[in-house]
Amino acid sequence: MMLDGMEDEDKWLAEGIAGIQHNAFYMHRALDANNLREVLKYSAQMLSELRTSKLSPHKYYELYMRAFDELKKLEMFFKDESRHGVSVVDLYELVQHAGNILPRLYLLCTVGSVYIKSKEAPAKDVLKDLVEMCLGVQHPIRGLFLRSYLAQVSRDKLPDIGSEYEGDADTVMDAVEFVLQNFTEMNKLWVRLQLQGPGRLREKLEKERSELRDLVGKNLHVLSQIEGVDLEMYKDTVLPRVLEQIVNCKDELAQYYLMDCIIQVFPDEYHLQTLETLLSACPQLQPTVDIKTVLSQLMDRLSNYAVSSTDVLPEFLQVEAFAKLSSAIGRVIEAQVDMPIVGAISLYVSLLTFTLRVHPDRLDYVDQVLGACVKKLSGKPKLEDNRAKKQVVALLSAPLDKYNDIVMALMLSNYPRVMDHLDNETNKVMAIVIIQSIMKNNTCISTADQVEVLFELIKGLMKDLDGTAVDELDEEDFKEEQNSVARLLHMLYNDDPEEMLKIICTMKKNIMDGGSKRLPFTVPPLIFSALRLIRRLQGQDGDVAGEEVPATPKRIFQILNQTIEALSTVPTPELALRLYLQCAEAANDCDLEPVAYEFFTQAFVLYEEEVADSKAQVTAIHLIIGTLQRMNVFGVENRDTLTHKATGYSAKLLKKPDQCRAVYACSHLFWVDDQDGIKDGERVLLCLKRALRIASAAQQMSNVTRGSSGPVTLYVEILNKYLYFFEKGNPQITSAAIQGLLELITTEMQSDSAAPNTVSDAFFASTQRYIQFQKQKGGVMSEKYDSVKV
């Protein structure tokens, strides 16, 4: 059926165009002959083709444009009185005798244009006559195109200031009145078009009607181009009349389009000075009108106007633009009870964007917008509409993007209240946005109060919300989130030790509430922030009693001990052990022996009771040995206890090679190469000999299990330790011992049971080259190596 209708319409259009072409042919002959009577006859017949009611607006436009092209030729003929011999006044009367009203009015508008140009009558009188005569055509499509033709031929002949058609003092008012009257009648015809046709064609008709909108809107563009329309006339006459027509037409399409037209065609300055009048119309529009887009465009234009020059900012304050826009948005939301929540939030996003551009220094305005959003969301369940959630994220992101400083957002009391209305997933998204803003702008959060507010904003990442279990989360996503939090914790800093201690206590409280699974991510940055503070306070001491505890290393070490203990609930013993050793080293730098000893004790307890994996044990014992070697705070008794423990655990590792390496590493505990460091050559030698015995045992086991001795790598590693202590001046390490070890390795490598190993061979060869180099370079070291034969 639809296809048949389209085919019929194409046929009717073709017939109409053929009729125009046929009559235009005879009209041209009459024009060439300067025969006025024949010209009028055939032009009227040609224009009669526009009387059709069978065409859609789109097809009718094609027909109209064919006729319009011919009317331009006709106007040129009417202008040249020498060709037709009739005065323009008589011609104006003559064309009114055309048989049908539609051709008559097209001809009248054409001659009227020539009449005005001749200046034989005031332009205002001719225009008034024409606009009233056009009332004779009330068919929506025919009437719209007729009035569009009138607007087209008259736009350059309006009695405007400075125009050649300017008349007396009120001449501009006459021009405005003409355009307004034509606009009003065109809008009525346009609105009436929606009532044409059965309901099933309504959607098609609406689309076609939308295509005609520019015919109506063109009048507003003409109004904006009239030089005489100053701010006062716009405020007192133009805007009230246009708004009255928009409100009274009660048509969704017309109201949206014409409001948009007003915003786009008239100057920004006019909008600012008539803001109250323009905004007062918004709540009176149909509930289905997309008012949020209209208001957004208005605020966008005004904010662009504000940033174009600082000179206009006082005008915004003078007219109280923010207050008026805020009030108007509230009234619109209240009036349109069925407005979806996403529409209301998007209005607040636009208002906030306007505020941040025009009044960036007014945080109270920003907070007011957020407060209005909270009020709208209060009493409703958590947002589920994805579009609404995106708008809330945009609302909350706007201050971050503007100020590039989260501290400004932390001063907004309604900021966290808006976040409370987000569901858990979107809350996390917003928390990530906040953290990214802090990291991108390198923002330092410098007070405990700000840290508390910040943790409230990112609580979706800091703890489980509303019973959401961590186990339900994707493992990779969870790690990424917690790594973001860990990076954030390093940005919480204050140069004042007392305030920094408060920040650390705030961090600890919130981290401990986050659940055991988050601790491995969040405890380390807390520990290192505290250690950074301790190193700044190095050398201070004080009591830890009382309500107001001073920031002293002892006090902070107590907090650290409690914090690391919490990791045992996870459990992550390897991480806890590393952190205990870090704290022990910091206590060493602060010369706090009891504290350092306590941290080492905790590390050894963890090693004994919690670290079960053999690889983890190897890593842990080397960490313990390395840390202990750097300690210089311990007295003889405490150091002996700890080194005895370390060497004992080294010899108890599961695999012989691991035992060997750990034991020879312990040799460094007895020879610290600094001015006051311990230098016990005998115990160094004991460790190395013990390591050598373990290496020999490993070789024997390899022979038994594999039928061949293993690589000599362990021997070469021990040889390198011998060389190190030999060069450091350990009297127990002699050239004879080194010579014996060299021969042992050579023998092992040449034995029948030795399996070839390129790595150990290269290692040994490199060591031999080093010895040779030391022998040849001269000096004291060369003398020491002189007796060693390679």
Side-chain angles (χ1 to χ4, degrees):
M1 289 289 289
M2 186 72 74
L3 192 62
D4 291 344
M6 289 173 64
E7 289 175 354
D8 288 344
E9 198 174 16
D10 288 338
K11 184 181 75 173
W12 294 326
L13 174 62
E15 289 174 357
I17 291 173
I20 289 175
Q21 290 173 335
H22 174 76
N23 288 293
F25 172 77
Y26 289 105
M27 184 186 80
H28 291 160
R29 288 177 62 176
L31 288 172
D32 293 340
N34 295 327
N35 187 336
L36 177 62
R37 182 180 172 188
E38 291 294 297
V39 165
L40 292 177
K41 172 186 171 184
Y42 287 112
S43 60
Q45 290 177 5
M46 175 188 74
L47 292 167
S48 292
E49 298 294 340
L50 295 176
R51 294 169 57 201
T52 179
S53 302
K54 297 176 179 179
L55 299 178
S56 66
H58 182 71
K59 299 293 185 185
Y60 190 90
Y61 174 73
E62 289 186 45
L63 194 66
Y64 165 80
M65 287 308 296
R66 295 297 181 107
F68 181 78
D69 291 339
E70 299 301 332
L71 284 169
K72 285 193 287 186
K73 298 168 187 170
L74 194 61
E75 185 179 0
M76 296 298 293
F77 175 71
F78 289 151
K79 277 181 187 175
D80 192 351
E81 190 176 324
S82 64
R83 291 179 65 186
H84 52 72
V86 179
S87 71
V88 70
V89 178
D90 293 338
L91 193 57
Y92 190 70
E93 290 295 326
L94 185 61
V95 295
Q96 294 185 43
H97 297 292
N100 190 278
I101 190 167
L102 188 65
R104 183 194 316 156
L105 290 175
Y106 270 105
L107 290 171
L108 191 64
C109 290
T110 308
V111 175
S113 169
V114 177
Y115 196 5
I116 297 170
K117 206 166 184 63
S118 71
K119 300 180 185 174
E120 292 188 25
K124 65 175 184 178
D125 294 340
V126 179
L127 291 172
K128 185 179 180 183
D129 189 37
L130 291 174
V131 78
E132 288 176 353
M133 294 280 255
C134 286
L135 286 169
V137 178
Q138 289 297 311
H139 183 277
I141 294 179
R142 295 198 291 266
L144 267 174
F145 278 95
L146 172 63
R147 287 187 174 275
S148 176
Y149 179 68
L150 172 61
Q152 183 71 23
V153 297
S154 64
R155 64 182 302 168
D156 59 343
K157 302 174 184 69
L158 297 176
D160 190 9
I161 292 175
S163 162
E164 60 180 296
Y165 309 106
E166 183 180 2
D168 54 32
D170 295 327
T171 186
V172 174
M173 200 64 212
D174 294 323
V176 168
E177 189 61 41
F178 165 75
V179 178
L180 282 173
Q181 191 173 344
N182 200 44
F183 160 74
T184 302
E185 294 303 324
M186 286 183 78
N187 191 49
K188 288 177 182 176
L189 293 167
W190 187 42
V191 171
R192 199 185 308 152
L193 189 61
Q194 71 168 319
L195 305 175
Q196 308 293 308
R200 61 191 175 85
L201 292 176
R202 187 65 51 85
E203 187 177 336
K204 179 173 177 286
L205 283 171
E206 278 297 286
K207 182 174 180 295
E208 292 173 347
R209 195 165 75 92
S210 178
E211 292 171 356
L212 296 175
R213 63 187 185 275
D214 287 345
L215 298 180
V216 184
K218 209 178 289 180
N219 289 282
L220 297 182
H221 180 68
V222 171
L223 273 175
S224 71
Q225 299 299 307
I226 297 176
E227 290 290 334
V229 177
D230 57 12
L231 177 58
E232 186 178 353
M233 184 178 289
Y234 177 76
K235 184 191 294 185
D236 297 339
T237 305
V238 174
L239 185 61
R241 289 273 297 277
V242 173
L243 288 177
E244 180 186 13
Q245 177 58 32
I246 292 172
V247 171
N248 290 341
C249 76
K250 299 188 183 307
D251 176 68
E252 175 191 347
L253 178 62
Q255 288 183 336
Y256 172 76
Y257 172 69
L258 294 175
M259 288 294 286
D260 185 51
C261 269
I262 292 174
I263 292 165
Q264 299 302 332
V265 302
F266 289 105
D268 299 324
E269 181 192 356
Y270 288 14
H271 294 324
L272 188 59
Q273 296 299 330
T274 59
L275 200 52
E276 196 163 356
T277 306
L278 184 59
L279 293 172
S280 65
C282 293
Q284 302 176 57
L285 303 179
Q286 295 299 99
T288 50
V289 173
D290 184 13
I291 194 64
K292 65 180 185 298
T293 303
V294 172
L295 287 172
S296 295
Q297 288 173 341
L298 173 62
M299 288 185 278
D300 193 44
R301 279 208 64 170
L302 289 176
S303 58
N304 286 334
Y305 177 52
V307 298
S308 66
S309 170
T310 53
D311 298 338
V312 301
L313 287 176
E315 294 179 35
F316 280 82
L317 295 170
Q318 185 182 0
V319 302
E320 298 178 331
F322 171 79
K324 287 174 181 173
L325 285 166
S326 181
S327 174
I329 287 171
R331 290 197 303 273
V332 166
I333 292 172
E334 196 176 318
Q336 297 193 3
V337 289
D338 295 328
M339 179 187 285
I341 195 71
V342 63
I345 298 170
S346 63
L347 277 174
Y348 289 125
V349 171
S350 298
L351 179 59
L352 184 60
T353 305
F354 167 83
T355 306
L356 291 169
R357 293 189 73 189
V358 180
H359 305 291
D361 55 327
R362 294 297 298 266
L363 276 181
D364 55 327
Y365 284 177
V366 176
D367 209 30
Q368 194 175 321
V369 177
L370 296 175
C373 188
V374 170
K375 186 178 177 184
K376 179 64 182 175
L377 294 171
S378 61
K380 294 181 173 60
K382 298 271 187 184
L383 289 173
E384 293 182 0
D385 181 0
N386 286 330
R387 292 178 306 153
K389 288 189 282 192
K390 283 181 181 176
Q391 287 297 320
V392 172
V393 170
L395 184 79
L396 293 168
S397 300
L400 303 181
D401 296 338
K402 176 64 181 177
Y403 298 121
N404 292 327
D405 186 358
I406 186 64
V407 175
M408 302 292 275
L410 298 179
M411 295 163 66
L412 302 168
S413 60
N414 287 306
Y415 200 94
R417 293 173 65 198
V418 175
M419 283 193 72
D420 286 341
H421 290 280
L422 293 171
D423 66 318
N424 295 347
E425 202 55 44
T426 315
N427 203 299
K428 284 184 181 180
V429 170
M430 194 60 228
I432 292 289
V433 169
I434 290 170
I435 292 174
Q436 287 172 344
S437 172
I438 293 171
M439 303 308 296
K440 176 186 171 187
N441 299 299
N442 204 25
T443 308
C444 182
I445 317 300
S446 57
T447 71
D449 292 339
Q450 288 175 354
V451 171
E452 193 67 67
V453 177
L454 175 62
F455 282 151
E456 177 64 23
L457 293 182
I458 64 165
K459 63 186 176 185
L461 301 178
M462 295 291 293
K463 58 186 177 184
D464 301 334
L465 297 176
D466 303 332
T468 305
V470 176
D471 299 335
E472 298 173 14
L473 301 173
D474 178 78
E475 190 69 27
E476 287 301 314
D477 290 346
F478 178 75
K479 284 181 180 178
E480 192 174 331
E481 290 169 4
Q482 295 310 303
N483 283 328
S484 296
V485 175
R487 286 192 291 273
L488 170 69
L489 296 179
H490 289 292
M491 305 302 293
L492 315 179
Y493 180 77
N494 195 306
D495 285 326
D496 176 46
E498 301 299 329
E499 190 62 37
M500 188 63 204
L501 180 58
K502 290 179 184 174
I503 290 174
I504 287 168
C505 292
T506 305
M507 288 165 66
K508 176 176 176 282
K509 176 171 71 76
N510 284 275
I511 285 170
M512 291 303 148
D513 291 342
S516 60
K517 195 167 182 184
R518 289 182 174 84
L519 294 181
F521 298 94
T522 52
V523 165
L526 168 61
I527 298 297
F528 283 102
S529 289
L531 291 177
R532 184 165 56 170
L533 175 59
I534 286 170
R535 286 189 160 82
R536 282 166 51 206
L537 297 171
Q538 208 165 304
Q540 294 185 23
D541 203 350
D543 293 329
V544 293
E547 200 70 27
E548 283 294 321
V549 180
T552 62
K554 273 189 180 178
R555 165 64 179 152
I556 300 167
F557 278 127
Q558 288 178 354
I559 296 171
L560 292 180
N561 200 19
Q562 297 163 8
T563 307
I564 300 172
E565 277 180 13
L567 279 176
S568 61
T569 62
V570 179
T572 52
E574 294 91 346
L575 176 60
L577 186 141
R578 286 172 180 269
L579 295 175
Y580 276 132
L581 294 177
Q582 288 286 344
C583 293
E585 199 164 351
N588 174 77
D589 295 340
C590 295
D591 205 24
L592 296 172
E593 182 179 3
V595 176
Y597 190 82
E598 175 60 26
F599 281 124
F600 257 103
T601 304
Q602 295 291 346
F604 276 121
V605 169
L606 274 178
Y607 181 83
E608 289 174 0
E609 298 178 358
E610 302 291 342
V611 182
D613 179 70
S614 60
K615 285 185 179 178
Q617 285 181 339
V618 172
T619 303
I621 199 65
H622 279 282
L623 284 169
I624 289 170
I625 294 167
T627 307
L628 186 54
Q629 191 267 344
R630 293 191 295 274
M631 306 294 281
N632 55 26
V633 72
F634 294 129
V636 176
E637 185 180 343
N638 283 342
R639 187 174 184 87
D640 280 351
T641 304
L642 295 173
T643 51
H644 178 72
K645 279 278 185 189
T647 51
Y649 288 133
S650 298
K652 292 177 182 175
L653 290 171
L654 179 63
K655 297 177 181 177
K656 289 293 182 185
D658 293 337
Q659 285 181 22
C660 177
R661 291 185 174 102
V663 168
Y664 73 58
C666 286
S667 63
H668 289 281
L669 298 177
F670 305 107
W671 192 279
V672 180
D673 191 33
D674 59 37
Q675 190 176 356
D676 302 318
I678 183 173
K679 289 184 173 61
D680 189 340
E682 288 187 14
R683 295 178 76 175
V684 169
L685 186 58
L686 283 172
C687 285
L688 294 180
K689 283 182 175 180
R690 191 175 186 182
L692 205 51
R693 287 197 300 273
I694 297 170
S696 297
Q699 288 289 78
Q700 290 170 10
M701 285 177 65
S702 180
N703 264 326
V704 171
T705 56
R706 295 190 179 89
S708 65
S709 59
V712 294
T713 308
L714 288 176
Y715 286 138
V716 182
E717 288 173 10
I718 295 168
L719 170 61
N720 276 270
K721 289 297 172 188
Y722 268 85
L723 295 176
Y724 172 82
F725 289 111
F726 180 62
E727 292 182 8
K728 293 297 180 184
N730 185 339
Q732 304 299 321
I733 308 297
T734 63
S735 57
I738 293 171
Q739 189 67 53
L741 197 48
L742 282 167
E743 291 170 1
L744 171 65
I745 295 169
T746 304
T747 303
E748 283 289 328
M749 291 175 69
Q750 292 172 353
S751 68
D752 296 337
S753 61
N757 187 288
T758 54
V759 175
S760 58
D761 292 351
F763 189 12
F764 184 52
S766 178
T767 305
Q768 287 177 310
R769 285 196 301 274
Y770 174 77
I771 295 171
Q772 195 66 42
F773 169 75
Q774 293 290 40
K775 284 169 67 72
Q776 293 171 355
K777 77 173 184 178
V780 178
M781 197 58 67
S782 179
E783 292 175 8
K784 288 189 74 168
Y785 274 97
D786 191 47
S787 58
V788 179
K789 301 290 187 290
V790 180

